[in-house]
Structure formats: C-alpha cells, structure tokens
Amino acid sequence: MEKTKQPLSTFRLVAGIITIVLSVLVTFQSCAAGLSNALEENGESGGSAGVLLAICFLVAGIVGIVTRKSTGAGGAFTSAGFYIVGGLIGLICAGSYADLVIWGVISVAFGVIFIIAGVLTKKRNS
C-alpha cells in the first residue's frame, strides 16, 4: 500500500488536537456563563450555546483527526460542517458571553480551512 500525503493533513491533526483541548476550556467557561445567566435571570443563552459549540468542537476535532489520511473528502467536509455550525451557534447566541464570539470565529475559520482541504483532496483524487 502506497503512502500518500493528503492535502493539509498536518493542519487537520493540529486543528483536531487544538479543538479537542479547547472544547474542555469552552465547556468550563460556558458552565460559568450559564450559571451567571441563571443567577442574574437575564434570559440569555450564551452558556448553553457555548456547550453546544464545545460539543461541535469535540466532534469536529475527532473526525478531523481520524480522517486526516483518508483518500476521500467526506471527513474534511463533515468536520467543516461541525465547525461552521458550532461557530454560527456561538456567534449568534453569544450575548454577554464575549469569549464565545472568539471561539465562534475560530470555529468558522477552521471550517473554511477544512472545506479548502476537502476541495484539494477531491481535486487530487480526480
């Protein structure tokens, strides 16, 4: 079996590891923001949105790591989908939880790069 390097496979590995670690940080921050929202009774949902973003980070990171060497583009597009959906949730529902905007932008940026990786993989295989 011939080993061929897939486009951006190193980035996929690094981004996956970074987002898995960030998912833990975002989860703890979101729990604190959710508790703050509940105590203030302000009706914001930034804490819950942060937990959803953290779950998307975790899933996208795992899929990105596992599929980084695959010859198909489906893994890159799946990771991109989770990154973009999580990022949009974070950006739309941030409220007073300002860090969620930062995590949302990072998530969308990773999603765009994973789309580029998927397109390059598809071009290489055709």
Side-chain angles (χ1 to χ4, degrees):
M1 186 161 94
E2 180 182 323
K3 267 191 171 178
T4 59
K5 186 170 167 134
Q6 295 301 318
L8 299 171
S9 65
T10 303
F11 172 79
R12 293 183 204 186
L13 175 65
V14 172
I17 292 170
I18 288 171
T19 54
I20 289 171
V21 172
L22 281 179
S23 71
V24 175
L25 176 68
V26 172
T27 300
F28 285 129
Q29 280 187 339
S30 299
C31 288
L35 180 63
S36 172
N37 289 339
L39 291 175
E40 292 176 4
E41 296 178 1
N42 58 11
E44 290 187 5
S45 60
S48 301
V51 171
L52 290 174
L53 174 61
I55 292 169
C56 288
F57 262 174
L58 185 62
V59 172
I62 291 171
V63 171
I65 290 172
V66 171
T67 63
R68 74 184 185 279
K69 292 185 178 181
S70 69
T71 56
F77 289 134
T78 302
S79 287
F82 277 103
Y83 279 126
I84 290 173
V85 167
L88 290 176
I89 289 171
L91 290 171
I92 292 169
C93 301
S96 63
Y97 177 20
D99 287 355
L100 194 56
V101 173
I102 296 168
W103 305 132
V105 169
I106 290 171
S107 187
V108 170
F110 280 177
V112 169
I113 295 172
F114 268 78
I115 288 174
I116 293 169
V119 169
L120 291 175
T121 301
K122 219 172 181 182
K123 276 187 180 180
R124 175 182 243 179
N125 293 335
S126 58

